[in-house]
Amino acid sequence: MSRLGRVSAEATAAARSFLRRRTAVFFTFFFPVILVLIFGVLVRTQPTGGGLFAKPGGYYLPGYLAVVVLFTPLSRVGSEIARHRSGNRFEKLATTPLSRTEWLLAHTVVNVGIIGAASLLIFGLVVAVTDASVALTPALLALPVFVVLGVTVFCGVGALLGAIADSQDGVIAASNTVALPLLFLSETFVPPSLLPGWFLPAVNLSPLTYFARGVRAITYSGDPWLGHLLVLAGLAVAFLAAGAFAIPRTD
């Protein structure tokens, strides 16, 4: 079987496994929808005021997309590795032609499909229920690329967490510990003007920052976005390689 065939077979099996877990499917789409309804409808933005959520609704679209781009791959890939470790599946995997890189790539493809669908739902919901308006420009075609690269980055991070944590509960705790600070300190919901000056250089260390900046440039500000795309692409390659290397051969 070719490499493409091995990746396709593993991706098909992973997708079927996810679809069988109906609770996971439901909350993958339900959680970001609830977030949009709470902060986009109930907690309305007030552009003439100050503080959090004081900018127009379009400013926060990258933040809503970041919720699924960040949380879903961290928890799904990390938990999948934890389940494989507890069942000694990697020891069995080592006897097959499927490499660790191919395994992680297959699960990344599945996450791209799931999160791509969730992102499309969030995008439509934000435009429908908030005051956000998105100009239909050629740059909008780069938005799916940002989603793919963002998902790839955090699939790699999820693989690292799954390899380090000693249980599925440990993966969930580690994922939340990593994801919550990144979600609010990566120019998603909190503007840089609300952060202390000494902390601003640390914002540039977050991969999610480049996702948020690029998506915001495409959908809201009209600023240059190619540089953010290139940085995110480099980070995607680096984290995917690191995650594949960290996946254990045996347990």
Side-chain angles (χ1 to χ4, degrees):
M1 183 181 289
S2 66
R3 174 172 296 179
L4 180 60
R6 294 193 297 270
V7 172
S8 299
E10 178 65 25
T12 300
R16 289 175 176 172
S17 175
F18 171 72
L19 293 175
R20 283 196 296 266
R21 297 195 291 270
R22 297 181 181 179
T23 302
V25 174
F26 177 76
F27 281 103
T28 296
F29 293 90
F30 181 72
F31 176 66
V33 167
I34 286 295
L35 200 67
V36 172
L37 294 178
I38 290 175
F39 292 108
V41 178
L42 298 180
V43 184
R44 293 183 177 273
T45 58
Q46 299 179 7
T48 58
L52 193 62
F53 288 97
K55 292 183 177 292
Y59 181 89
Y60 300 102
L61 176 59
Y64 295 127
L65 294 176
V67 172
V68 288
V69 168
L70 173 63
F71 279 89
T72 304
L74 281 183
S75 61
R76 288 201 70 251
V77 173
S79 296
E80 194 67 28
I81 290 178
R83 281 194 293 269
H84 274 59
R85 292 178 65 187
S86 64
N88 294 322
R89 296 182 191 175
F90 285 116
E91 187 170 345
K92 299 174 184 177
L93 183 66
T95 65
T96 71
L98 187 71
S99 68
R100 294 177 294 174
T101 301
E102 292 167 350
W103 184 93
L104 182 56
L105 183 59
H107 286 264
T108 300
V109 169
V110 174
N111 277 277
V112 166
I114 294 168
I115 297 165
S119 297
L120 183 61
L121 173 63
I122 293 168
F123 184 91
L125 190 61
V126 169
V127 173
V129 303
T130 73
D131 62 353
S133 60
V134 178
L136 298 178
T137 65
L140 199 60
L141 296 174
L143 181 57
V145 182
F146 272 98
V147 172
V148 171
L149 292 176
V151 172
T152 303
V153 167
F154 292 107
C155 281
V157 177
L160 291 171
L161 296 179
I164 294 171
D166 57 359
S167 67
Q168 198 167 344
D169 289 339
V171 169
I172 294 173
S175 297
N176 290 335
T177 301
V178 170
L180 284 174
L182 288 182
L183 181 61
F184 293 101
L185 300 176
S186 301
E187 294 189 18
T188 49
F189 294 107
V190 180
S193 58
L194 296 182
L195 298 174
W198 61 265
F199 185 79
L200 292 179
V203 174
N204 295 322
L205 300 178
S206 168
L208 196 63
T209 297
Y210 301 97
F211 173 83
R213 287 173 178 171
V215 172
R216 185 170 291 119
I218 291 170
T219 62
Y220 176 75
S221 66
D223 294 334
W225 50 267
L226 183 58
H228 304 308
L229 184 70
L230 295 177
V231 172
L232 196 62
L235 291 172
V237 172
F239 277 106
L240 194 67
F245 181 78
I247 294 174
R249 295 182 183 274
T250 58
D251 285 297

